[in-house]
Every structure is written in structure tokens, then in C-alpha cells.
Amino acid sequence: MNRCSERKMKILAVCFLSQLILATACSKENASSSAPANTASPATSAAAKIRSSADVVKLYVEQVSLPAGGNIDARILVSVSPGFHVNANPATFPYLIATEVAAGKVDGIIVGKPAYPAAAKKKFQFADQPLAVYEGEAPIKLNLRAATNAAAGLRSLPITVTVQACDEEQCFPPAPLKSTISVTVK
């Protein structure tokens, strides 16, 4: 990327963050100054209770079994609450936080690169062009291979899935969602 493109991306990032901060401040000011305390809409009151992306995104991980020397794709299901989305991988812009799987290490298991699902392109009021996002359920595959000399038994492979959830108007702090994949080597 040339210097001009890098500068444009930095300017876009600053503009995006400025708009996000301004929109958040304005929506809080309007909500506190013009609306009576008990008339907040369900969407507004739900968004007000969200402190992090972990409040609206959950992980479901399947258990897998494979022979020594074998491989399998473990499925990690990212479940996003209705009305919210997370950035896809890859994200539309470098300054957006993409959904990303990172696996730990465990003896006898070799972890491949995650395979992310196709993204939906959606237009939001805070962005000039459609963004690549996941909504609802996004299944991510993680290829696992057992070493040929791996001893039989159960192993727990730690994983972290980083997500940043947003609604139609704002994004919430990113969250590292931690889980484990139970891997049985036969």
C-alpha cells in the first residue's frame, strides 16, 4: 500500500471513530434530556445494558474424535443475538476488528488455519459503503490433525474467538470469548 493510501485509511479510521463517538454522545444526550425515564424503547434499553460484545455473542464448540495421524474440522459456532452483527474475517477495512479464532497448544494436536464463512455485505448509517459482517450463526471450521505418534486419550484445546459486536448505530467494546475443544485421540 502506498503512503497516500495509508494516509487515506488513517483519515477514514479517525473519521469513523469520531462519528461513532459523536453518535454515541448524541444518542445518550437525547435519551437523557428528552425522553421520560420509563419510555425507552426495548432496543434502546437493551443497548444501554450492553457493556461488551460478550453480552450479545456466544460460542458453541463441538467435541471431536480422530485417530492418531488423522485430521478433522472442528466446528466453532459464533452465535450473534438478533439485531446485532460482528465484523467478518477479513474485515472490510483494516481498522475494523475482525472475528478471529486463535488456538492454544496441546500435545499431539496440530492446529491448522481457521476457515471463516462467507460474509454478508450490509449497509449501515455509520459507514459510506457496505461492510462484511456475520449475523445470526457463523460456523467457523478449525482443522485439527493428530500427530502420528499421539497417545490415545482426551485433550482440551483452548481457543479464543475475538469479536466486536455492533447494532445499527454503534459498536461495543470487543471481547475475547474463551472456550475449549474436547479432542479425543483414538
Side-chain angles (χ1 to χ4, degrees), residues 6 8 14 126 171:
E6 288 176 351
K8 286 179 183 177
V14 170
F126 57 80
C171 292

mmCIF file with all atom_site columns, all heavy atoms in Angstrom, residues 6 8 14 126 171:
data_model
loop_
_atom_site.group_PDB
_atom_site.id
_atom_site.type_symbol
_atom_site.label_atom_id
_atom_site.label_alt_id
_atom_site.label_comp_id
_atom_site.label_asym_id
_atom_site.label_entity_id
_atom_site.label_seq_id
_atom_site.pdbx_PDB_ins_code
_atom_site.Cartn_x
_atom_site.Cartn_y
_atom_site.Cartn_z
_atom_site.occupancy
_atom_site.B_iso_or_equiv
_atom_site.pdbx_formal_charge
_atom_site.auth_seq_id
_atom_site.auth_comp_id
_atom_site.auth_asym_id
_atom_site.auth_atom_id
_atom_site.pdbx_PDB_model_num
ATOM 1  N N   . GLU A 1 6   ? -2.288  4.720  2.675  1.00 0.00 ? 6   GLU A N   1
ATOM 2  C CA  . GLU A 1 6   ? -2.195  4.568  4.128  1.00 0.00 ? 6   GLU A CA  1
ATOM 3  C C   . GLU A 1 6   ? -2.761  5.797  4.824  1.00 0.00 ? 6   GLU A C   1
ATOM 4  O O   . GLU A 1 6   ? -3.489  5.676  5.810  1.00 0.00 ? 6   GLU A O   1
ATOM 5  C CB  . GLU A 1 6   ? -0.735  4.362  4.549  1.00 0.00 ? 6   GLU A CB  1
ATOM 6  C CG  . GLU A 1 6   ? -0.185  3.003  4.179  1.00 0.00 ? 6   GLU A CG  1
ATOM 7  C CD  . GLU A 1 6   ? 1.291   2.872  4.525  1.00 0.00 ? 6   GLU A CD  1
ATOM 8  O OE1 . GLU A 1 6   ? 1.936   3.867  4.897  1.00 0.00 ? 6   GLU A OE1 1
ATOM 9  O OE2 . GLU A 1 6   ? 1.786   1.768  4.406  1.00 0.00 ? 6   GLU A OE2 1
ATOM 10 N N   . LYS A 1 8   ? -5.036  7.864  3.652  1.00 0.00 ? 8   LYS A N   1
ATOM 11 C CA  . LYS A 1 8   ? -6.495  7.859  3.477  1.00 0.00 ? 8   LYS A CA  1
ATOM 12 C C   . LYS A 1 8   ? -7.148  6.902  4.471  1.00 0.00 ? 8   LYS A C   1
ATOM 13 O O   . LYS A 1 8   ? -8.181  7.207  5.054  1.00 0.00 ? 8   LYS A O   1
ATOM 14 C CB  . LYS A 1 8   ? -6.868  7.459  2.050  1.00 0.00 ? 8   LYS A CB  1
ATOM 15 C CG  . LYS A 1 8   ? -6.618  8.539  1.036  1.00 0.00 ? 8   LYS A CG  1
ATOM 16 C CD  . LYS A 1 8   ? -6.995  8.063  -0.351 1.00 0.00 ? 8   LYS A CD  1
ATOM 17 C CE  . LYS A 1 8   ? -6.683  9.105  -1.415 1.00 0.00 ? 8   LYS A CE  1
ATOM 18 N NZ  . LYS A 1 8   ? -6.991  8.619  -2.756 1.00 0.00 ? 8   LYS A NZ  1
ATOM 19 N N   . VAL A 1 14  ? -10.027 7.673  11.641 1.00 0.00 ? 14  VAL A N   1
ATOM 20 C CA  . VAL A 1 14  ? -10.281 8.772  12.568 1.00 0.00 ? 14  VAL A CA  1
ATOM 21 C C   . VAL A 1 14  ? -11.701 9.294  12.382 1.00 0.00 ? 14  VAL A C   1
ATOM 22 O O   . VAL A 1 14  ? -12.419 9.538  13.348 1.00 0.00 ? 14  VAL A O   1
ATOM 23 C CB  . VAL A 1 14  ? -9.234  9.894  12.389 1.00 0.00 ? 14  VAL A CB  1
ATOM 24 C CG1 . VAL A 1 14  ? -9.622  11.145 13.152 1.00 0.00 ? 14  VAL A CG1 1
ATOM 25 C CG2 . VAL A 1 14  ? -7.868  9.397  12.828 1.00 0.00 ? 14  VAL A CG2 1
ATOM 26 N N   . PHE A 1 126 ? -23.544 4.401  9.713  1.00 0.00 ? 126 PHE A N   1
ATOM 27 C CA  . PHE A 1 126 ? -22.263 4.948  10.129 1.00 0.00 ? 126 PHE A CA  1
ATOM 28 C C   . PHE A 1 126 ? -21.131 4.672  9.143  1.00 0.00 ? 126 PHE A C   1
ATOM 29 O O   . PHE A 1 126 ? -19.990 5.068  9.380  1.00 0.00 ? 126 PHE A O   1
ATOM 30 C CB  . PHE A 1 126 ? -21.869 4.437  11.522 1.00 0.00 ? 126 PHE A CB  1
ATOM 31 C CG  . PHE A 1 126 ? -21.797 2.934  11.640 1.00 0.00 ? 126 PHE A CG  1
ATOM 32 C CD1 . PHE A 1 126 ? -20.691 2.225  11.199 1.00 0.00 ? 126 PHE A CD1 1
ATOM 33 C CD2 . PHE A 1 126 ? -22.844 2.232  12.196 1.00 0.00 ? 126 PHE A CD2 1
ATOM 34 C CE1 . PHE A 1 126 ? -20.624 0.851  11.314 1.00 0.00 ? 126 PHE A CE1 1
ATOM 35 C CE2 . PHE A 1 126 ? -22.785 0.853  12.318 1.00 0.00 ? 126 PHE A CE2 1
ATOM 36 C CZ  . PHE A 1 126 ? -21.669 0.164  11.876 1.00 0.00 ? 126 PHE A CZ  1
ATOM 37 N N   . CYS A 1 171 ? -20.997 0.484  17.859 1.00 0.00 ? 171 CYS A N   1
ATOM 38 C CA  . CYS A 1 171 ? -20.235 -0.733 18.127 1.00 0.00 ? 171 CYS A CA  1
ATOM 39 C C   . CYS A 1 171 ? -19.902 -0.784 19.608 1.00 0.00 ? 171 CYS A C   1
ATOM 40 O O   . CYS A 1 171 ? -19.767 0.254  20.252 1.00 0.00 ? 171 CYS A O   1
ATOM 41 C CB  . CYS A 1 171 ? -18.958 -0.764 17.299 1.00 0.00 ? 171 CYS A CB  1
ATOM 42 S SG  . CYS A 1 171 ? -19.287 -0.959 15.533 1.00 0.00 ? 171 CYS A SG  1
#
